[in-house]
Amino acid sequence: MAVNRAGDLYLAEQDTCLIRKVGADGLLKTVAGTGVCGASSFQHPATTQNLAPAVKIFADSQGNVYMEDASANAYVITPDGKVASNPTPNANQIVAIDAKDRFYILTGIRNGMLLRVSPNGTQQTVLDLAAPPPGVVNLTSFDGFGLDPAGNVY
């Protein structure tokens, strides 16, 4: 489940592999999927694509919906209704989107990095698990993190 700044609610239906939007007006709309689970291709209308069940979905203020399936494949559904290519390098996991539409990706659980990607594609390393900054406990893995409204990572 994800909510964008406009108040639209996005739902990932596991059994039908659909992404649905409940608009701020209360109307339900299918954003992606056909109701049949399967593999999708890129640059085609999202509602004509079979999708794998989404395990994570995020929405940004520009109308993009990011989804990740159980195999850690990430996709973006664009405002014009297309399934676009993987927005993350090397099929990494999307783990959050902040108020500035920057998304955070995890390159690996052990000895990986937490990267912040701005809307223009610029990447910044937030945390390198293999080489933490001085004074920080040497982390070998983590299960999650949180963001505050200012974009600080906890």
Side-chain angles (χ1 to χ4, degrees):
M1 178 170 35
V3 178
N4 66 13
R5 284 191 243 160
D8 300 318
L9 173 67
Y10 293 88
L11 305 167
E13 295 183 8
Q14 297 298 303
D15 56 344
T16 61
C17 299
L18 292 171
I19 304 295
R20 306 269 197 154
K21 172 184 166 184
V22 180
D25 57 6
L27 296 177
L28 178 68
K29 175 183 176 185
T30 298
V31 174
T34 63
V36 176
C37 297
S40 66
S41 57
F42 300 125
Q43 302 305 327
H44 294 286
T47 55
T48 66
Q49 299 297 303
N50 295 337
L51 300 175
V55 295
K56 297 179 193 173
I57 59 172
F58 303 96
D60 69 17
S61 67
Q62 304 302 310
N64 295 299
V65 178
Y66 300 84
M67 66 165 280
E68 183 179 311
D69 66 23
S71 299
N73 297 310
Y75 307 95
V76 61
I77 301 157
T78 61
D80 64 353
K82 304 260 192 236
V83 177
S85 60
N86 186 336
T88 66
N90 302 319
N92 295 304
Q93 298 178 27
I94 300 173
V95 290
I97 293 180
D98 69 16
K100 295 179 181 176
D101 291 337
R102 300 176 298 191
F103 60 90
Y104 293 74
I105 58 176
L106 185 60
T107 64
I109 299 297
R110 297 198 180 280
N111 298 323
M113 292 187 290
L114 179 64
L115 303 175
R116 180 173 38 228
V117 183
S118 66
N120 69 6
T122 304
Q123 294 183 23
Q124 177 185 9
T125 300
V126 176
L127 177 63
D128 184 346
L129 293 175
V136 174
V137 174
N138 189 9
L139 301 170
T140 56
S141 68
F142 62 94
D143 286 335
F145 68 96
L147 297 172
D148 68 16
N152 295 308
V153 177
Y154 298 92

